[in-house]
Amino acid sequence: MNPALTQIGAQMSNLTGVRAIMKDIIETLRAGAGQQFINLSAGNPLILPEVEQLWRDCTAQLLASPEYGEVVCRYGSSQGYAPLVEAIANDFNKRYGLNLSDRNILITPGSQTLYFYAVNSFGGYTPSGELKQIVLPLSPDYTGYGGLSLVPKALTAYKPTLDIDEAAHRFKYRPDFSQLSITENTGCVLFSRPCNPTGNVLTEDEVKKIATLAAPYNLPVLIDSAYAPPFPALNFTEMTPVFGDNILHCMSLSKAGLPGERVGIAIGDEKWIEVLECFQANIGLHSSRYGQAIAALAINSGALVEISHTVIRPFYQNKFTVLETSLEQAMPKDLPWFLHRGEGAIFAWLWLQDLPISDWEFYQQLKQVGVIIVPGSSFFPGLDEEWAHKHQCFRISLTGTDEEIATAMQRLAKVAEEAYKGAAVIA
């Protein structure tokens, strides 16, 4: 007999977005025992030897330190492990010319948890019954945003404009400021930079324009910087984090090699940080202190920034180059395919314009030739209107070997050619 669930229980137990796809992928891999798949679906970063060694070295330092017992065997502050908070403040003040104190920083169990705190603190129903919207100013964006709000209808997203270079088979999403609405009914704004899944990096001017639109309403703009500098620095184009009175700069150490430790970081005005810290105290006291302690060592030594720039970024940037080169060689020139400009993150985003079958059907056909990628329609949370583009896109992980990525793109090109050819024959 199924348990009797509340509305929130039923909502939070649903498989949403890409998680439903991942369930299908796991079942496919189990059912296809013996079949060789090139699996380019994962959001899990690869274990890079130099990065793993950094965390081993920091762990050895912690074990040898008199602080070990204090870190592991005692509860701590809801705000975070003090040496990590201090390390972040010192690094960012020096690096970006800021004036952060310990009250401007909060450590959470991963950035996903941080966004859960934020969207339910600032979005949803007010005590007077007014609905405050959670605005995603540019869609597609991170699929995980779709399951955060305890009031699902509070989430709203806006279609972008498409900057298309037909000759080069490239495109880029840009915020459509003619449509974007931030008003007294908005509770908070949220977007990723660089973006999962597209690799898009909003320009500094675009970020400042969004923050300016939000400023009159005294609401926070959360910038999901899980791939941004200074660590893991998975930006392939020049970019600088943007800070401001109404900006919450949100980070994660997952792509810097610590996804298992769930370390999220929020940097912003004390009034926002205090609200989120109270939420965290009620939910789970504080984040794991072990991960925080080794992170403090890596930041203070400068090793984390160094390895981000010399190991992590070049590794994934090379993978993107392999993917785009392979697509250019394999894709028929007359097909309307467009690769999003590779500006950061660990994914590529492919748009097959006017694809005659759905993204889900294309995903199923690709599996038949041993390639797994992620249908793109999962990455439009909050965008309820019908838009054919949503079913023509795919996220491709850069976590395969060079040979796997090249082979997968060759097979993808053949499946795409057959899909368009089949539609032409039927017509």
Side-chain angles (χ1 to χ4, degrees):
M1 176 183 260
N2 291 330
L5 300 178
T6 63
Q7 288 182 356
I8 290 176
Q11 175 189 328
M12 298 305 287
S13 62
N14 284 335
L15 283 172
T16 59
V18 78
R19 287 161 184 79
I21 302 295
M22 296 310 294
K23 183 174 184 291
D24 180 79
I25 290 170
I26 291 169
E27 291 172 353
T28 297
L29 294 173
R30 285 175 180 165
Q35 182 179 356
Q36 294 297 313
F37 286 98
I38 299 174
N39 186 357
L40 301 181
S41 67
N44 225 356
L46 292 171
I47 300 175
L48 305 181
E50 301 93 333
V51 179
E52 181 181 2
Q53 190 60 51
L54 167 65
W55 297 119
R56 285 181 179 273
D57 292 344
C58 291
T59 295
Q61 285 181 256
L62 177 60
L63 287 171
S65 164
E67 282 290 299
Y68 177 80
E70 184 68 24
V71 167
V72 175
C73 303
R74 297 183 64 84
Y75 291 116
S77 163
S78 293
Q79 184 185 358
Y81 180 57
L84 175 58
V85 171
E86 182 180 1
I88 293 166
N90 290 340
D91 184 274
F92 275 65
N93 285 342
K94 182 178 180 181
R95 191 177 304 279
Y96 299 116
L98 303 177
N99 189 30
L100 301 175
S101 75
D102 60 339
R103 298 309 306 165
N104 298 120
I105 297 167
L106 175 69
I107 312 299
T108 64
S111 57
Q112 180 91 359
T113 306
L114 165 58
Y115 306 131
F116 179 79
Y117 299 164
V119 302
N120 290 295
S121 294
F122 306 120
Y125 287 106
T126 67
S128 63
E130 181 184 0
L131 182 63
K132 292 288 188 178
Q133 296 287 337
I134 303 146
V135 169
L136 309 183
L138 184 149
S139 186
D141 210 328
Y142 175 47
T143 184
Y145 300 155
L148 292 174
S149 178
L150 296 175
V151 184
K153 66 180 179 179
L155 188 68
T156 186
Y158 289 89
K159 285 168 56 177
T161 60
L162 276 63
D163 188 351
I164 302 171
D165 183 343
E166 293 191 6
H169 291 279
R170 297 293 185 275
F171 82 110
K172 177 179 169 63
Y173 294 117
R174 296 190 183 278
D176 185 351
F177 287 104
S178 70
Q179 299 297 320
L180 177 59
S181 177
I182 298 174
T183 69
E184 66 277 3
N185 296 319
T186 306
C188 63
V189 180
L190 172 60
F191 59 90
S192 58
R193 180 181 188 251
C195 177
N196 170 3
T198 66
N200 192 23
V201 173
L202 269 67
T203 67
E204 190 168 323
D205 285 345
E206 289 168 342
V207 173
K208 288 180 177 178
K209 189 167 184 178
I210 292 169
T212 298
L213 290 173
Y217 305 106
N218 192 32
L219 56 93
V221 175
L222 287 83
I223 304 178
D224 180 348
S225 304
Y227 299 90
F231 40 80
L234 274 163
N235 55 300
F236 308 152
T237 186
E238 285 297 318
M239 66 165 286
T240 301
V242 179
F243 303 93
D245 292 342
N246 66 330
I247 289 176
L248 268 171
H249 183 74
C250 306
M251 303 170 61
S252 166
L253 296 187
S254 292
K255 302 309 183 289
L258 280 185
E261 281 307 299
R262 314 309 302 129
V263 180
I265 302 164
I267 300 174
D269 190 285
E270 182 177 344
K271 66 185 177 186
W272 312 120
I273 296 296
E274 185 176 358
V275 169
L276 301 178
E277 181 185 348
C278 290
F279 204 124
Q280 173 152 280
N282 283 315
I283 290 276
L285 294 183
H286 59 73
S287 182
S288 162
R289 282 157 59 87
Y290 163 74
Q292 295 184 68
I294 62 174
L297 294 170
I299 293 170
N300 280 330
S301 69
L304 183 55
V305 169
E306 175 69 17
I307 210 164
S308 295
H309 286 79
T310 61
V311 175
I312 301 175
R313 177 197 286 160
F315 178 85
Y316 287 104
Q317 191 164 13
N318 174 69
K319 295 294 182 188
F320 186 86
T321 299
V322 170
L323 183 142
E324 67 176 345
T325 301
S326 301
L327 272 177
E328 286 170 350
Q329 292 172 348
M331 276 289 203
K333 301 302 181 187
D334 58 342
L335 290 190
W337 67 274
F338 299 94
L339 186 65
H340 195 283
R341 297 282 177 191
E343 298 177 332
I346 64 172
F347 309 104
W349 181 256
L350 179 65
W351 170 35
L352 299 178
Q353 187 179 24
D354 299 325
L355 182 66
I357 58 177
S358 72
D359 59 329
W360 177 262
E361 291 169 313
F362 191 87
Y363 155 79
Q364 297 290 357
Q365 290 187 13
L366 262 187
K367 287 196 301 183
Q368 298 303 311
V369 297
V371 176
I372 300 176
I373 60 176
V374 181
S377 51
S378 301
F379 295 94
F380 294 82
L383 190 65
D384 296 328
E385 65 180 286
E386 279 304 312
W387 187 27
H389 182 87
K390 291 166 59 173
H391 305 283
Q392 300 170 358
C393 297
F394 303 87
R395 190 189 78 174
I396 307 168
S397 175
L398 302 176
T399 53
T401 66
D402 291 1
E403 294 76 17
E404 287 174 334
I405 291 173
T407 299
M409 294 307 97
Q410 291 163 8
R411 295 178 186 176
L412 184 151
K414 290 180 181 177
V415 171
E417 186 174 18
E418 290 300 317
Y420 284 102
K421 186 186 298 180
V425 170
I426 292 171

